[in-house]
Amino acid sequence: MNGRCISQEHLGDTGFSYTLSLINGKYKMTILYTLMEFGVVRFNEMKKYIGRISYKTLSATLKELEADQLVHREEYPQIPPKVEYWLTERGKSLMPLLDGMCEWGEKNRLPTV
């Protein structure tokens, strides 16, 4: 035994909890994975790729990822407006985690009935 007592521990103080706070959300990991796969992606391309996500939810989620410095947003002053998104270096550093999750899913996927 290492002398630690679970009643004195707090999950919120762990690196696990911090990482989860950055990627927790219905579409965050999907958006990050999309940017990993396709590099620079425009807003409407992202919407089409993900499918069942509202424009409002996609916009809000991208803003959260940008605030957490995982995604970069570049707006070009032209008509029609052009906005592109890509992973920052900080965002790219999460990719081994997402790759591991993908590999685990491929290996452990239960057969569909």
Side-chain angles (χ1 to χ4, degrees), residues 37-90:
E37 285 292 310
F38 298 104
V40 177
V41 179
R42 294 179 70 175
F43 185 89
N44 284 330
E45 292 172 330
M46 181 90 61
K47 168 78 171 87
K48 288 177 188 172
Y49 181 78
I50 295 172
R52 303 188 85 180
I53 184 173
S54 70
Y55 288 102
K56 182 179 178 179
T57 300
L58 178 57
S59 179
T61 305
L62 284 165
K63 285 178 184 174
E64 289 175 17
L65 291 168
E66 185 182 8
D68 290 331
Q69 300 176 5
L70 300 175
V71 169
H72 177 79
R73 177 183 189 271
E74 188 71 35
E75 186 173 346
Y76 298 93
Q78 64 186 51
I79 297 175
K82 177 181 173 183
V83 179
E84 295 178 332
Y85 298 88
W86 61 83
L87 291 174
T88 62
E89 289 303 314
R90 180 178 161 112

Side-chain angles (χ1 to χ4, degrees), residues 1 13 20 31 70 88 95 103:
M1 299 224 24
D13 296 334
L20 194 58
I31 291 169
L70 300 175
T88 62
M95 292 309 104
E103 289 173 20

Side-chain angles (χ1 to χ4, degrees), residues 11-21:
L11 184 62
D13 296 334
T14 65
F16 174 81
S17 181
Y18 176 72
T19 304
L20 194 58
S21 76

